[in-house]
Amino acid sequence: MSRKLQRTEVCADCSAPDPGWTSINRGVLICDECCSVHRSLGRHISIVKHLRHSGWPPALLQMVQTLASNGANSIWEHSLLDPAQVQSGRRKPNPQDKVHPTKSEFIRAKYQMLAFVHKLPCRDDDGVTTKDLSKQLHSSVRTGSLETCLRLLSLGAQANFFHPEKGTTPLHVAAKAGQILQAELLVVYGADPGAPDINGRTPMDYARQAGHIELAERLVECQYELTDRLAFYLCGRRPDHKNGHYIIPQMADSLDLSELAKAAKKKLQALNNRLFEELAMDVYDEVDRRENDAVWLTTQNHSTLVTERSAVPFLPVNPEYSATRNQGRQKLARFNAREFATLIIDILSDAKRRQQGKGLSSPTGKILREDPLDLGIDDDQHDYDSVASDEDSDSELTTQNNNNTQRSNLNTHYMDSSDLSDGPITLQEYLEVKKALASSEAKVQQLMKVNNNLSEELRRLQKEVGSIEGGVKRQGHRFKLQNLIRGEILIVMTECTVGCFPLQVPKAEKHGSGTDSDYDNTQTYDVSLSMGRSSEEEGRGDSEEGGGGGDVGEPDPTLPCTEDVILKTEQVTKNIQELLRAAQEFKHDSFVPCSEKIHSAVTEMASLFPKRPALDAVHCSLRLLASSASRLQVECRKAAPSEPGAPAVDYQLLTQQVIQCAYDIAKAAKQLVTITTREKKQ
């Protein structure tokens, strides 16, 4: 679901106009720059989602809209509204202020430190204060005043508070009253849709008995949010929950499991229930990070090659988790598409097995809440991220250490057990790394020879096209040029993956929408530009979603000449070849000059196009081209000689990242040639 932003809406943190993102648990709208800071804080501080390019449950979006329009931001900036604060020099940033440190420091103080939230009078017994707030929340959720409940939650009211006299939780009350937006807010803050009242009835039971069928169905969706989200990430479908609660996608070659894959699956099944729940939560967070990263990288301003805004390369540290768990969470970012899919499928299968095997009624959990999920599986074993105290017994410490080792070994098994990725490489996977960069010099030389032959043939055909006057004949040659330039970029893409990933570009270009295709294709990961659409569909789909409507009908007169685009693409391709040659020969000192040449060629190519192209597909491709060139420069600079005492550079990882950036640049250039050729032929 998408929405149109009103012109009066501004960023809650810096007042920039037309904010495109929202912090769900804070109930505010934020701009791109402030969003980059929110994402770096982690989901335990701010749960971000794009207003137009992300999928939205209607009730959740309505809840955020209601909070934002009713002054939820004043909850987080309470003390700043005091005129005395202006005199003391404390102020919120302006749109023109720098992201770092001005905006970032303010946002951290506002949401992480809660520096501006209204403070309650101190009491000797903090528990009484929390209980009083929770009782007020229990009473308030039967009304439609969302901002009142958010204020109580910000002060410490507990969403899962069990009222001792009434025998219910706030979610029971909201469900009985039919307050679907209050229910959404409570679930965001950790309310359990499957929690029983004093008589064993759940909030879903209350909603059904009161005739609120839509609310009851939404609470079921909230209860299964974890497994639903994981399944949707892989195959674009969710269960309807009337005929079953699980969709288990299958890999095309799932019957041919390696010994390492089988060992990894056994280790997952051997995890105690608490460890399994936490692993599922961490994978869910990684799915959210990857999906947001895809949206983030496709919505940035392509005209700015160097920017303070940055993607989030791995899950931010959550101080409530142990160092072992945080390391495991960050390691998830290094899983390639196939490895990550294998882990998700095994989690879905084991969640179903554990729930059905024990006959439990709450198999997943409340993902958006801040406290740990409940997958509906009781387990008395220790939490693997618990911090040992001086009073812990030797046996408890041994159990904790074993859990830490168990989790670390499991992540390693999944990375080692999966075959090399056979899906298209996406921007989400640009940090993935393999154990060795196995290069084949003979193969590289052969590819370069083919590339040179294609370049000569391309130049010859360009001269012929310039002298051809006939319309049909001219179009025929342009079509041949288009195929040749695709072939040249394909060679560059193949070079990018020599010894790393067996890229199957023709297969990736044939498959349909990631949301419609069957998972057996195992090709639903290319979401770098359009959240799962194939290259041929991106030009159409992006314009339809963005409302541009410029990809159909008359040719776009603002697009540059096809021959000019091809010439610039050829220059970009040559520079990429030089960089790849340096990578294969381990000439790391050549990375910086090569990246500068590529940056210059990309800038020249981007200058051919208008700053505000009419076609959304062109806009997205230019953004990808610019952001990839910027990232390439940053990565290549890491190869420069470091100062004495500085940490050693991991050249294997660096080479992987450089190759990924080069792949993305080649991909964007190919898209621009394809779009320009197609539009000029209309």
Side-chain angles (χ1 to χ4, degrees):
M1 180 175 179
S2 62
R3 67 189 291 266
K4 275 193 172 181
L5 293 176
Q6 301 175 6
R7 293 185 179 180
T8 57
E9 292 175 343
V10 297
C11 173
D13 298 331
C14 72
S15 302
D18 300 327
W21 296 79
T22 179
S23 173
I24 296 175
N25 57 324
R26 306 298 179 175
V28 296
L29 308 181
I30 50 179
C31 67
D32 282 4
E33 289 190 343
C34 293
C35 176
S36 68
V37 182
H38 277 253
R39 293 193 63 208
S40 69
L41 296 178
R43 284 173 49 86
H44 58 288
I45 302 296
S46 182
I47 305 169
V48 300
K49 203 175 186 72
H50 198 276
L51 287 163
R52 290 182 295 269
H53 295 278
S54 298
W56 281 93
L60 182 61
L61 177 58
Q62 187 180 352
M63 184 270 288
V64 172
Q65 290 174 332
T66 302
L67 284 174
S69 61
N70 284 277
N73 193 41
S74 63
I75 296 173
W76 315 110
E77 295 183 356
H78 176 83
S79 63
L80 291 181
L81 301 177
D82 185 353
Q85 295 296 332
V86 178
Q87 298 176 2
S88 67
R90 299 183 72 176
R91 68 169 184 85
K92 66 188 298 181
N94 294 319
Q96 297 77 21
D97 287 331
K98 291 186 176 181
V99 178
H100 303 289
T102 308
K103 292 184 180 180
S104 62
E105 288 182 355
F106 173 79
I107 291 170
R108 289 182 182 276
K110 180 178 176 180
Y111 300 108
Q112 190 171 22
M113 309 304 296
L114 300 179
F116 315 125
V117 172
H118 174 65
K119 303 297 191 298
L120 291 175
C122 295
R123 293 193 185 184
D124 294 336
D125 185 358
D126 289 338
V128 174
T129 300
T130 301
K131 185 175 181 180
D132 290 344
L133 290 169
S134 299
K135 284 187 174 182
Q136 292 182 44
L137 178 67
H138 190 279
S139 176
S140 298
V141 292
R142 63 167 51 90
T143 72
S145 181
L146 277 178
E147 60 275 16
T148 298
C149 293
L150 179 61
R151 190 180 302 276
L152 291 168
L153 290 165
S154 72
L155 294 173
Q158 300 299 304
N160 269 319
F161 171 73
F162 188 84
H163 200 293
E165 290 84 22
K166 301 185 181 296
T168 56
T169 69
L171 193 54
H172 286 94
V173 177
K176 183 177 181 179
Q179 293 290 347
I180 190 169
L181 301 188
Q182 294 283 21
E184 291 284 352
L185 179 61
L186 290 169
V187 170
V188 165
Y189 274 83
D192 183 358
D197 68 357
I198 195 172
N199 297 314
R201 294 183 299 169
T202 67
M204 293 174 284
D205 295 331
Y206 273 64
R208 290 192 186 97
Q209 292 170 5
H212 307 303
I213 305 303
E214 180 184 356
L215 174 53
E217 292 176 350
R218 175 60 185 149
L219 289 174
V220 173
E221 292 176 357
C222 292
Q223 186 177 16
Y224 287 88
E225 169 66 12
L226 189 153
T227 50
D228 284 5
R229 180 82 176 270
L230 297 188
F232 187 82
Y233 176 75
L234 291 184
C235 63
R237 293 183 292 119
R238 292 184 174 89
D240 59 11
H241 297 294
K242 295 177 181 178
N243 300 311
H245 298 300
Y246 294 93
I247 291 179
I248 312 294
Q250 297 296 319
M251 301 288 280
D253 56 355
S254 59
L255 297 179
D256 185 22
L257 294 178
S258 66
E259 290 302 317
L260 282 172
K262 294 177 182 177
K265 191 168 186 176
K266 288 181 179 178
K267 282 184 174 290
L268 178 70
Q269 293 174 347
L271 288 178
N272 66 58
N273 293 329
R274 181 61 175 176
L275 282 174
F276 178 75
E277 290 176 356
E278 291 178 347
L279 175 62
M281 292 168 61
D282 295 344
V283 170
Y284 178 96
D285 287 350
E286 175 64 13
V287 166
D288 183 76
R289 184 196 69 81
R290 293 188 182 208
E291 290 183 342
N292 271 341
D293 228 28
V295 174
W296 173 260
L297 291 168
T298 58
T299 55
Q300 296 306 290
N301 186 352
H302 73 276
S303 63
T304 305
L305 289 179
V306 180
T307 175
E308 287 184 294
R309 311 172 195 172
S310 60
V312 178
F314 45 74
L315 290 175
V317 172
N318 185 337
E320 296 182 0
Y321 297 160
S322 68
T324 301
R325 183 173 181 185
N326 278 312
Q327 290 169 3
R329 285 164 59 85
Q330 294 181 356
K331 191 174 182 180
L332 291 172
R334 298 171 62 186
F335 280 42
N336 64 30
R338 184 178 182 81
E339 294 163 347
F340 195 50
T342 302
L343 176 57
I344 290 176
I345 291 172
D346 285 350
I347 286 176
L348 288 170
S349 300
D350 213 49
K352 182 178 181 180
R353 178 187 68 84
R354 293 178 186 234
Q355 188 267 334
Q356 292 182 343
K358 294 192 176 183
L360 299 171
S361 60
S362 179
T364 59
K366 290 56 63 184
I367 295 301
L368 298 182
R369 69 187 194 176
E370 296 180 359
D371 55 321
L373 273 97
D374 174 15
L375 289 178
I377 307 167
D378 295 329
D379 194 278
D380 295 330
Q381 299 190 46
H382 292 286
D383 181 348
Y384 79 91
D385 71 339
S386 59
V387 179
S389 68
D390 295 335
E391 288 136 7
D392 284 336
S393 65
D394 291 340
S395 62
E396 289 172 332
L397 290 173
T398 301
T399 300
Q400 178 183 325
N401 291 334
N402 288 342
N403 284 340
N404 290 341
T405 304
Q406 193 177 13
R407 172 61 177 270
S408 178
N409 289 343
L410 178 65
N411 278 347
T412 302
H413 267 74
Y414 268 95
M415 293 195 72
D416 292 343
S417 66
S418 179
D419 297 331
L420 296 177
S421 172
D422 63 354
I425 302 173
T426 71
L427 287 173
Q428 295 171 305
E429 273 63 58
Y430 75 92
L431 280 180
E432 65 192 22
V433 60
K434 306 304 290 183
K435 287 185 175 180
L437 180 63
S439 61
S440 172
E441 186 62 26
K443 179 68 174 176
V444 172
Q445 294 300 329
Q446 179 185 2
L447 291 172
M448 289 182 176
K449 183 177 179 180
V450 174
N451 232 353
N452 291 334
N453 293 338
L454 283 173
S455 297
E456 294 177 3
E457 178 68 5
L458 180 62
R459 284 191 291 271
R460 185 182 66 80
L461 287 175
Q462 284 176 322
K463 293 179 181 179
E464 292 182 14
V465 168
S467 61
I468 294 175
E469 298 292 335
V472 176
K473 192 173 182 180
R474 184 179 180 88
Q475 285 188 4
H477 277 266
R478 280 185 172 172
F479 180 75
K480 189 173 183 180
L481 274 173
Q482 177 182 344
N483 288 339
L484 281 173
I485 195 67
R486 281 187 174 185
E488 176 134 50
I489 296 299
L490 176 57
I491 295 299
V492 175
M493 292 179 180
T494 307
E495 286 184 335
C496 290
T497 59
V498 169
C500 301
F501 310 99
L503 183 66
Q504 300 179 5
V505 174
K507 182 177 179 181
E509 291 184 350
K510 284 194 299 182
H511 74 79
S513 169
T515 58
D516 297 330
S517 62
D518 186 84
Y519 183 71
D520 286 347
N521 292 330
T522 65
Q523 299 291 330
T524 59
Y525 304 109
D526 194 2
V527 294
S528 59
L529 288 177
S530 56
M531 297 299 288
R533 289 192 297 271
S534 63
S535 299
E536 284 76 10
E537 291 176 323
E538 285 169 0
R540 298 192 306 272
D542 285 339
S543 66
E544 291 170 0
E545 290 182 7
D551 284 27
V552 180
E554 296 296 326
D556 187 353
T558 64
L559 290 179
C561 174
T562 304
E563 287 76 14
D564 291 341
V565 178
I566 292 175
L567 287 173
K568 295 299 181 184
T569 301
E570 183 182 25
Q571 186 60 45
V572 172
T573 302
K574 288 182 178 179
N575 293 331
I576 290 178
Q577 290 174 352
E578 183 180 351
L579 175 64
L580 295 174
R581 202 174 297 116
Q584 294 292 342
E585 296 172 0
F586 304 101
K587 295 180 179 179
H588 302 116
D589 55 344
S590 300
F591 279 13
V592 172
C594 286
S595 69
E596 295 297 336
K597 291 180 182 178
I598 294 174
H599 179 279
S600 177
V602 165
T603 303
E604 292 179 8
M605 184 173 184
S607 67
L608 296 175
F609 295 82
K611 291 186 177 181
R612 297 180 180 275
L615 301 181
D616 287 346
V618 174
H619 190 64
C620 290
S621 298
L622 287 171
R623 276 199 299 263
L624 176 60
L625 189 72
S627 62
S628 301
S630 177
R631 289 203 322 276
L632 178 64
Q633 280 192 302
V634 172
E635 295 299 333
C636 287
R637 287 173 188 149
K638 296 177 182 177
S642 57
E643 298 179 359
V649 178
D650 185 348
Y651 285 106
Q652 180 178 309
L653 174 60
L654 177 62
T655 302
Q656 289 284 359
Q657 295 170 344
V658 167
I659 288 175
Q660 180 65 66
C661 294
Y663 171 91
D664 293 335
I665 293 172
K667 176 180 178 180
K670 172 188 172 183
Q671 291 169 342
L672 289 172
V673 171
T674 302
I675 295 170
T676 304
T677 304
R678 183 184 69 229
E679 290 297 318
K680 291 299 182 181
K681 286 199 302 182
Q682 290 184 2

